[in-house]
Amino acid sequence: MLVEAAEETFATRGYTQAGLAEVATLAGVSKTLLYHYFPDGRPELYREVMDRLVSQVLDSVREAARAPVPTDQRLGRLVRALLGWFGEHPDAYRLLVLEPWGSGDTGVVAQATAVRARLAGELNTLLAPAGAPLPVTMAAGAATLGAVLQVCELRMSGQVGDAEAVDVAERFVRGGLAALDLLDV
């Protein structure tokens, strides 16, 4: 209940404007109780919100990436899963991808870096069987994630439509990974 109230408060007010008193009020608890569970206050609570959200997006991504279909089809499913999940959860995109960098808290920024690493790790797992050197696979996974996240942002801001976002992201990612010999297309 505390984490859900924190997520709602952070989504509404942003990291820097959200107060723990607001979270406590929304959760129906005292600020003292909130500090009992989260002694480091706002940064610790925000990181907990991030953990909850990244777990949800990873569930969606893993389901897509583990489908019993060829790698290029799993990659397309993974791209659609990321675009779809963040499209359905725009607050989560802001809380996981955009907001942490302006928090001014090194722990929150480190958590945001870990979120990206976990998402890129799912891509790396998909690409690893191609047998490329690990640095190539890691860089390709990170670049792929960056491209898909940027398309998510364009889509959510209304600059790119749903169909175009999926089409461009899939073709761009497939072409780039094929050029690196990480994907047969």
Side-chain angles (χ1 to χ4, degrees), residues 7-8 10-14 46 49-50 53-54 56-57 81-100 149 151-158 162:
E7 181 180 336
E8 185 177 332
F10 288 129
T12 303
R13 308 264 302 158
Y46 194 86
V49 168
M50 291 176 74
L53 293 172
V54 77
Q56 293 171 10
V57 70
L82 271 172
L83 288 169
W85 195 87
F86 282 124
E88 292 173 16
H89 304 91
D91 287 337
Y93 182 85
R94 191 166 53 80
L95 295 174
L96 287 172
V97 178
L98 300 176
E99 191 81 19
L149 291 177
V151 172
C152 281
E153 193 167 328
L154 293 170
R155 178 181 175 213
M156 287 187 290
S157 68
D162 292 349

Side-chain angles (χ1 to χ4, degrees), residues 3 7 10 17-18 42 45 57-58 72 95 105 126 128 134 158 160 164 185:
V3 176
E7 181 180 336
F10 288 129
Q17 299 300 311
R42 181 176 30 196
L45 191 53
V57 70
L58 281 171
D72 69 316
L95 295 174
D105 184 273
L126 189 64
L134 183 59
V160 176
E164 294 86 6
V185 290

Side-chain angles (χ1 to χ4, degrees), residues 102-147:
S103 70
D105 184 273
T106 56
V108 171
V109 170
Q111 183 83 0
T113 302
V115 165
R116 286 179 179 254
R118 290 175 71 185
L119 289 169
E122 292 301 315
L123 286 156
N124 295 343
T125 299
L126 189 64
L127 301 174
L134 183 59
V136 172
T137 301
M138 288 174 46
T144 298
L145 177 64

Side-chain angles (χ1 to χ4, degrees), residues 75 123 126-127 136-137 140-141 144 172-185:
L75 179 66
L123 286 156
L126 189 64
L127 301 174
V136 172
T137 301
T144 298
F172 180 83
V173 166
R174 279 191 173 116
L177 294 175
L180 293 169
D181 294 323
L182 290 168
L183 188 66
D184 293 326
V185 290

